[in-house]
Amino acid sequence: GFFQSSAVEVDIKDASNVTCLYADWMMRFLITYESNNGDYKTTTLNLSSSVTHNGSVCGNDTQAALVAVQFGEGHSWSINITKNNETYQGDFITLTYNTNDTAVFPDAKRKGPVTVLVKDPSRPVQLNTVFVCHNSFIIEAENTTQIFWNITMQAFVQNGTVSKKESRCPADTPTSAPTVPPTIANVTTASTTTLSPAPTTAPKPVENPEIGNYSLKSGNKTCFLATVGLQLNVSQDKPLLININPKTTVADGACGNTTATLKLNDGNSTLIGF
């Protein structure tokens, strides 16, 4: 698979015992937490092989549908889906992770369940159409990164049969080559941040960033390698472009069995993490 994880398949039946909601997808989570010694660590939460879907409901014209799954030692994830005229759309995604799970959070300072609520940024899907997204889809919120892929989902299924008509996510749709290469390839990052309107006066052009070579070692072997030019485009009161200078940038981080983290500090308190 694209990542090490287990697939989830949820087939919800209505009172007539026919399918009203179907979902099949894969997901994993990267969670940053505070350890007992005050350091912040990033851990990976994968689905276990045993997943339940208690509390999932079909939904109707007045009630939202709900896909709810429970896994591992007290972890859960859910999405409620609303119907509006001729479309359906994800509303809110709720992730609850339990730091009492010592296998995932071996030295967490805060103990117990932590809940993260985030708005689903996906666009509406026509009724009697199945949503499909094979490429990775990422949502970041409150020290968590939720990664989804191989998604097949249809809410408010008509006549108990999942549609053959597909609505593909933007990441699955080929596009013409952009004029400026994207900073991150083949990954769609969803954000709920509202960007400021474009300025009426174009900012002063900034030269392309210098390409740097950044690497991490595990023992005497290189475990993470990035050759990249980095530029930050910050939209606040005024647009601000910042080139990351590889000559003054320090690489730090760590490599694990299933995850690797590269942190870049350019000496001016600008920190970028991959």
Side-chain angles (χ1 to χ4, degrees), residues 25-254:
W25 75 102
M26 301 186 78
M27 62 181 176
R28 73 199 289 254
F29 310 98
L30 303 179
I31 301 172
T32 300
Y33 68 98
E34 186 178 4
S35 65
N36 287 321
N37 61 12
D39 293 336
Y40 284 86
K41 299 182 177 181
T42 299
T43 188
T44 302
L45 176 60
N46 288 313
L47 294 177
S48 60
S49 57
S50 176
V51 179
T52 58
H53 54 84
N54 300 325
S56 298
V57 295
C58 295
N60 50 44
D61 290 341
T62 58
Q63 180 186 9
L66 179 69
V67 178
V69 295
Q70 304 82 37
F71 58 98
E73 300 295 325
H75 312 296
S76 63
W77 181 91
S78 66
I79 179 172
N80 64 322
I81 306 164
T82 54
K83 182 179 179 182
N84 183 17
N85 296 327
E86 298 301 318
T87 64
Y88 66 91
Q89 183 176 16
D91 192 5
F92 284 97
I93 293 174
T94 304
L95 167 66
T96 298
Y97 58 91
N98 184 13
T99 58
N100 285 324
D101 185 350
T102 56
V104 181
F105 307 94
D107 55 350
K109 182 177 181 179
R110 177 181 177 180
K111 299 295 184 181
V114 180
T115 298
V116 176
L117 182 68
V118 61
K119 182 74 174 177
D120 182 7
S122 301
R123 61 192 180 189
V125 179
Q126 289 292 319
L127 291 175
N128 199 32
T129 303
V130 60
F131 174 73
V132 177
C133 192
H134 293 307
N135 283 285
S136 61
F137 180 81
I138 296 176
I139 298 177
E140 297 176 316
E142 299 181 33
N143 297 324
T144 66
T145 301
Q146 304 184 40
I147 308 171
F148 310 91
W149 69 101
N150 286 351
I151 305 169
T152 301
M153 186 191 74
Q154 183 181 352
F156 308 101
V157 175
Q158 300 176 11
N159 302 320
T161 303
V162 176
S163 175
K164 296 185 182 299
K165 182 180 178 182
E166 294 184 353
S167 174
R168 288 296 188 108
C169 65
D172 284 4
T173 305
T175 58
S176 58
T179 304
V180 179
T183 55
I184 301 176
N186 301 324
V187 176
T188 299
T189 302
S191 174
T192 58
T193 303
T194 301
L195 298 180
S196 302
T200 55
T201 303
K204 182 180 179 180
V206 175
E207 295 181 357
N208 289 334
E210 184 178 348
I211 295 176
N213 296 302
Y214 310 102
S215 63
L216 297 177
K217 288 187 177 294
S218 179
N220 59 356
K221 294 183 178 180
T222 298
C223 61
F224 197 124
L225 177 63
T227 300
V228 60
L230 294 171
Q231 183 181 89
L232 301 183
N233 187 335
V234 183
S235 297
Q236 292 181 336
D237 296 334
K238 296 181 179 179
L240 177 63
L241 295 180
I242 304 172
N243 283 343
I244 303 302
N245 184 356
K247 296 177 181 178
T248 61
T249 299
V250 178
D252 193 9

